[in-house]
Amino acid sequence: MSFETARTDVFIVGSGPVGCTFARELIGAGRRVLMVDAGAALSQRPGEHLKNAYLYQRNLDLFSGVIRGHLNLLSVPPEQRPEVTLDPAAFQIDRKRYRGFVLNNQNPDQDPAVNLGAAAVSYGVGGMATHWTCATPRHHPQIERSPLLPDDEWERLYDAAERLLNTHVGAFEESIRHQLVREVLQGAYPDLPKPYEVQSLPLAVERRQDNPTLVRWSGADTVLGELADQVAGGADGALDLRPEHLCKRLVPTADGSRIAYAEVLDLRQSRTLRIEAEHFVVAANAYLTPQLLYASGIRPPALGRYMTEQPIAFCQIVLRQELVDGIVDDPRFAERVRTHRGSELHDPVPIPADDPEPNVWIPVSPDRPWHCQIHRDAFHYGDLAPNVDTRLIVDLRWFGIVEPNPDNRIAFSDRHTDTHDMPQPTFTFTLSPQDRDRQHAMMGDMLRAATALGGFLPGSEPCFVEPGLGLHVCGTTRMGDDPETSVVDIDSRVWDIDNLYLGGNNLIPRGTASNPTLTSVALAIRAARRLIGREK
Ligand code: G3F
């Protein structure tokens, strides 16, 4: 193995939308940035949304296989049931000595009862932004977002984050099903006060001018803007982005007050790099960010604790007969239906094949502490029954709030390692009695919406999905004003380490129900600007 030293102004671990927010702000202010990602580059433009491919726009359901293929489970508990049908001559584990297998994130320390069994990481340039749903609601001012920042600052940061992510609310406005679903739900929930009524979901997406039947979903490349073009074109002096480079540890100075350098493994060439920088940023998601701190011996009391996750109530419905029949005579849709029917006489469904999906939500509000998304999504737990037309199916996902609790945590092993030979994570996660009651009320509310829209799709009746599957885990390096109960200060700087900043959902300190990406991008914008401000 050879060792090589590289120098930069800012070293960033993680190339998801949050790492890219740091990169764009810092390069815009004249800093040189070197960014690494443990995963490979999946597209020519760095971190592009893979759903932009024509194929998936024509058939969204095919994309569920892509998502599934990119989700690497973090902690797989041992299976205690013996394989009794195994050939008796085959290798069998000695149960007196071992609790289970240990490779590929199989984790003998994981108690299945308190696991986040579906918690997963997407390796790849762009991280989860290569396949995310792009839902970008703002967090509720009193219920979800942190009171540590004043309201007017939150508004400014949200404005800037929406610009970076290219958020729009109107991209699905023309859709017949969108209008239909929104109206039915507005009828079912007539008393919700503004601005918490049934409405169009804000999404990081835009409809394409050249072909309005297609959209362009935002990825990490959208956040990078022109930098993405430069990286794709191989321009010199732009962002130095290195895929398949794993940051193994950050090495503090002797007094621990700064990070001196990072040790990085080039996975393609099996060589170790020493990266020196003025500032270090870790934005490697809610699991791998605390993992890297742990591996570096940086272990403040709140590390991995106060972990929150959003329980999801889920079902799929098939639209009611009279709603679908009504489309034919609705003057707003009649023309399109006629055109469609004219050319597609064999099609029993009066909805054009390229009618965009519905994208509707009901925001969190004080009497309704849950976030409701009514759309079609490509998650594998919504794979379709083959004999029902996809246009008739609507997904309902209700996301609940779990209040932070220091005992809900991700811990790291000194004995077992994960796929990248880093400390194996183990989860401990339970719901308080209040959390449980809230989720039950949330399920009741989802049933109300589902009944208004249609009947349950067989196999997709209402259920709670496996914990962790929301992929919205927060709090594992939370932001705060007390080093005992938080890991970073309000500038996203790790307490007592002058040049180490963190980004990601792991900073969000409260229980939330709405999608966290927009808020994490907002906090990263603030952190990058504070970092620059301190240097001046
Ligand atoms: C989607 O409907 C949400 O919009 C995502 F944010 C979420 O991660 C996903 O479901 C997973 O269940």
Side-chain angles (χ1 to χ4, degrees):
M1 271 212 194
S2 63
F3 292 83
E4 194 183 295
T5 300
R7 258 213 75 75
T8 185
D9 294 332
V10 186
F11 174 62
I12 301 178
V13 183
S15 65
V18 173
C20 288
T21 300
F22 274 97
R24 176 152 178 186
E25 290 285 328
L26 294 167
I27 291 174
R31 305 299 184 278
R32 285 176 309 147
V33 169
L34 194 160
M35 176 188 264
V36 294
D37 201 290
L42 307 173
S43 55
Q44 198 190 355
R45 274 174 69 80
E48 191 180 350
H49 201 308
L50 301 173
K51 202 162 67 177
N52 286 331
Y54 182 83
L55 177 69
Y56 304 127
Q57 302 223 14
R58 293 297 306 208
N59 185 350
L60 175 69
D61 297 316
L62 292 176
F63 197 63
S64 62
V66 177
I67 297 182
R68 189 202 291 263
H70 282 103
L71 293 178
N72 297 272
L73 296 182
L74 278 150
S75 183
V76 181
E79 174 59 82
Q80 297 299 352
R81 216 180 27 180
E83 289 297 342
V84 290
T85 55
L86 190 64
D87 184 317
F91 174 85
Q92 292 187 28
I93 213 166
D94 176 357
R95 296 269 168 203
K96 288 197 215 73
R97 290 186 61 193
Y98 299 100
R99 294 189 52 217
F101 296 111
V102 296
L103 286 194
N104 303 326
N105 298 356
Q106 293 172 102
N107 180 4
D109 296 338
Q110 182 64 61
D111 174 354
V114 295
N115 194 15
L116 293 183
V121 169
S122 290
Y123 295 102
V125 170
M128 242 172 229
T130 55
H131 62 72
W132 67 313
T133 307
C134 291
T136 51
R138 294 186 179 203
H139 280 178
H140 188 285
Q142 282 82 46
I143 300 171
E144 296 178 289
R145 75 190 190 200
S146 167
L148 292 170
L149 305 185
D151 286 345
D152 58 336
E153 186 170 15
W154 268 119
E155 299 305 323
R156 281 199 304 277
L157 290 170
Y158 273 137
D159 288 345
E162 284 168 353
R163 276 195 299 277
L164 272 190
L165 286 165
N166 199 23
T167 285
H168 291 92
V169 277
F172 290 81
E173 224 45 46
E174 295 306 313
S175 154
I176 295 175
R177 287 173 299 161
H178 179 79
Q179 297 177 53
L180 194 67
V181 165
R182 191 178 50 194
E183 278 164 19
V184 170
L185 290 177
Q186 282 168 344
Y189 292 92
D191 302 323
L192 296 179
K194 276 188 183 314
Y196 304 117
E197 74 278 22
V198 178
Q199 56 195 279
S200 303
L201 180 65
L203 290 164
V205 70
E206 68 183 3
R207 201 147 279 288
R208 278 177 43 177
Q209 308 265 311
D210 56 342
N211 181 351
T213 65
L214 304 177
V215 292
R216 177 163 295 283
W217 298 100
S218 299
D221 64 323
T222 313
V223 174
L224 287 175
E226 282 177 12
L227 285 172
D229 301 319
Q230 293 169 13
V231 173
D236 260 0
L239 168 67
D240 183 355
L241 168 57
R242 305 196 187 181
E244 291 190 86
H245 278 62
L246 174 74
C247 184
K248 294 287 290 182
R249 63 186 183 120
L250 303 167
V251 181
T253 51
D255 67 358
S257 68
R258 293 179 67 78
I259 299 300
Y261 65 92
E263 205 178 283
V264 171
L265 194 58
D266 175 348
L267 300 170
R268 288 195 281 204
Q269 300 183 38
S270 300
R271 55 175 190 159
T272 300
L273 300 173
R274 173 186 163 119
I275 300 189
E276 298 172 355
E278 284 305 310
H279 297 281
F280 294 79
V281 176
V282 185
N285 76 44
Y287 318 103
L288 304 186
T289 300
Q291 181 192 55
L292 179 57
L293 265 57
Y294 185 87
S296 309
I298 302 166
R299 301 174 184 179
L303 187 73
R305 294 188 177 274
Y306 301 96
M307 180 178 78
T308 61
E309 104 105 2
Q310 303 173 349
I312 300 183
F314 172 67
C315 68
Q316 291 179 302
I317 59 93
V318 180
L319 287 169
R320 294 174 82 108
Q321 180 82 45
E322 70 265 28
L323 292 178
V324 180
D325 289 346
I327 292 173
V328 181
D329 301 319
D330 189 316
R332 290 171 301 172
F333 312 136
E335 174 72 39
R336 274 144 77 193
V337 174
R338 254 196 315 276
T339 314
H340 172 67
R341 285 234 143 142
S343 60
E344 307 267 349
L345 268 178
H346 54 282
D347 186 354
V349 181
I351 300 172
D354 57 8
D355 185 54
E357 308 96 50
N359 273 297
V360 173
W361 73 309
I362 313 176
V364 170
S365 57
D367 295 338
R368 303 170 45 80
W370 44 78
H371 164 81
C372 317
Q373 272 181 206
I374 307 97
H375 57 172
R376 278 289 292 124
D377 209 348
F379 273 83
H380 42 279
Y381 54 89
D383 271 354
L384 285 184
N387 58 349
V388 179
D389 191 289
T390 176
R391 289 166 291 177
L392 301 173
I393 297 174
V394 178
D395 299 7
L396 285 82
R397 286 178 182 76
W398 264 225
F399 298 75
I401 296 182
V402 168
E403 292 304 341
N405 163 358
D407 297 331
N408 281 339
R409 63 184 298 213
I410 180 171
F412 300 96
S413 175
D414 293 323
R415 189 158 181 225
H416 304 298
T417 53
D418 70 5
T419 315
H420 287 92
D421 301 324
M422 296 291 282
Q424 169 62 45
T426 297
F427 294 106
T428 306
F429 185 77
T430 55
L431 299 183
S432 71
Q434 294 81 354
D435 290 336
R436 293 173 59 182
D437 285 348
R438 249 196 319 269
Q439 312 320 319
H440 185 64
M442 171 174 88
M443 173 61 92
D445 185 59
M446 185 182 75
L447 298 185
R448 174 177 170 193
T451 314
L453 286 168
F456 298 119
L457 176 70
S460 269
E461 292 87 357
C463 64
F464 281 96
V465 305
E466 189 174 8
L469 194 45
L471 306 169
H472 294 167
V473 163
C474 295
T476 52
T477 64
R478 71 203 294 246
M479 179 182 273
D481 52 9
D482 175 356
E484 288 301 310
T485 58
S486 61
V487 173
V488 298
D489 64 17
I490 60 165
D491 292 346
S492 305
R493 199 154 52 102
V494 174
W495 290 108
D496 301 324
I497 305 187
D498 209 41
N499 63 346
L500 176 57
Y501 290 77
L502 306 184
N505 303 341
N506 29 296
L507 267 61
I508 294 176
R510 296 182 76 175
T512 61
S514 325
N515 319 63
T517 308
L518 181 77
T519 299
S520 294
V521 167
L523 290 177
I525 294 172
R526 182 176 194 281
R529 292 179 183 172
R530 301 291 290 182
L531 182 159
I532 296 159
R534 288 180 79 236
E535 269 193 343
K536 280 185 185 152

